[in-house]
Amino acid sequence: MQFDNDTKACAALVHRADPDRFMAAMAAPVAARSVLFPIYALNVEVARAPWVTQEAMIAEMRLQWWRDALREIAEGPSVRRHEVVTPLSRVLSPHLAEKLDEYVAVRRWDIYRDPFEDDAHFDAYIDHSAGTLMVVSAQTLGPADEKVLRDYGYAVGVANWLRAIPELEARGRIPLLDGTTDGVRALAKKGLEKLRKARAARTAISDSARPALNAGWQADWVLRRAFTKPQVVADGGLSQSEARRRLSLIRLTLTGRW
């Protein structure tokens, strides 16, 4: 897979908008980066689509544009020319392109201000967004068990969600069903349980697929901190120092023990 101008544009987009995933991708082998950057660029575009306008209909149209582009990749033979869609069409199988439809569709929740209906609704949101992104990223690189990836993706998704709480609340959203310290602790505990479950089945993830799991390198620390100090979540106290971030990513890369 070539690192052409489109892939470089995807890398630049991820670098600007999602520095954590940019670091995770840069820690992967060069061949894996050319696969991960278009997928992570898609994540940037889809994640910000509901937020760039106050008009719900326009936000819906933006998400639908990406669903249509993914359908073109899945069905072929022609795909629209776009700096993210074009390289994405070279790395995604039809099956994985179809799987990403649920990933885009679930982001409709971000457009509106309604709270989650119940635990099942929240879990489905995290699974279809973070979980599906992890499945597609890893399986595009190599063989990997979907259940293990979804457990890991859920843990990573909850960690990232907890980190985003202050911004979501500032934007008028209701991000948690139970925003009390007990509620936050229970959610962090569930994320840690999913993480332990995924780690117990590490052998189900091939070496070639493993670089995609770099994206969750901070999840363990974030979830543990949220569990032991749930009161810091509302204040944005789930950020690691730059030195800790880099060292923990280096450790994961060298040991392969995500």
Side-chain angles (χ1 to χ4, degrees), residues 23 36 45 47 74 82 87 89 111 115 118 146 162 177 185 203 226:
M23 284 179 61
L36 293 173
E45 295 282 16
H82 185 271
S89 70
I111 299 174
D118 49 30
E146 181 166 345
L162 290 172
L177 287 160
R185 183 177 285 112
T203 56

Side-chain angles (χ1 to χ4, degrees), residues 18 20-22 24 40 43 103 107 122-123 125-135 137-138 146-165 168 176 187-199 202 205 210-224 226 238 240 249 252 257-258:
D18 193 347
D20 282 349
R21 280 197 176 86
F22 179 81
Y40 292 165
N43 181 61
Y103 152 84
R107 302 310 290 260
F122 176 82
D123 286 350
Y125 177 90
I126 297 296
D127 181 48
H128 290 161
S129 54
T132 298
L133 184 67
M134 188 62 68
V135 169
S137 300
E146 181 166 345
K147 181 64 170 67
V148 176
L149 292 171
R150 288 199 179 277
D151 284 339
Y152 186 68
Y154 183 92
V156 174
V158 167
N160 289 339
W161 192 253
L162 290 172
R163 292 171 65 192
I165 293 298
L168 290 167
L176 296 174
L187 182 58
K189 181 181 179 181
K190 186 172 183 178
L192 286 168
E193 290 170 349
K194 292 277 190 178
L195 183 58
R196 283 193 290 269
K197 188 175 180 181
R199 285 172 166 173
R202 277 193 178 97
I205 308 299
R210 193 172 61 202
L213 279 69
N214 289 354
W217 95 91
Q218 300 180 82
D220 192 346
W221 184 90
V222 170
L223 292 170
R224 290 182 184 280
L238 294 180
Q240 293 179 298
L249 179 57
L252 182 152
R257 295 186 63 80
W258 43 270

Side-chain angles (χ1 to χ4, degrees), residues 73-151:
I73 295 174
E75 297 177 355
S78 62
V79 177
R80 65 192 65 187
R81 170 73 190 127
H82 185 271
E83 68 177 14
V84 175
V85 178
T86 301
L88 198 61
S89 70
R90 295 196 295 263
V91 303
L92 289 180
S93 67
H95 167 69
L96 292 178
E98 289 178 354
K99 192 174 288 289
L100 279 172
D101 181 71
E102 70 181 18
Y103 152 84
V104 179
V106 78
R107 302 310 290 260
R108 291 184 65 251
W109 183 89
D110 298 341
I111 299 174
Y112 304 100
R113 296 175 183 269
D114 299 327
F116 291 107
E117 298 170 4
D118 49 30
D119 288 337
H121 185 196
F122 176 82
D123 286 350
Y125 177 90
I126 297 296
D127 181 48
H128 290 161
S129 54
T132 298
L133 184 67
M134 188 62 68
V135 169
V136 172
S137 300
Q139 292 188 347
T140 302
L141 292 176
D145 182 84
E146 181 166 345
K147 181 64 170 67
V148 176
L149 292 171
R150 288 199 179 277
D151 284 339

Side-chain angles (χ1 to χ4, degrees), residues 200-252:
R202 277 193 178 97
T203 56
I205 308 299
S206 67
D207 289 346
S208 57
R210 193 172 61 202
L213 279 69
N214 289 354
W217 95 91
Q218 300 180 82
D220 192 346
W221 184 90
V222 170
L223 292 170
R224 290 182 184 280
R225 182 167 173 80
F227 180 77
T228 57
K229 297 183 177 181
Q231 68 276 8
V232 307
V233 172
D235 300 326
L238 294 180
S239 296
Q240 293 179 298
S241 68
E242 187 64 19
R244 180 186 288 270
R245 286 172 71 240
R246 292 184 179 278
L247 285 173
S248 58
L249 179 57
I250 290 171
R251 185 183 307 113
L252 182 152

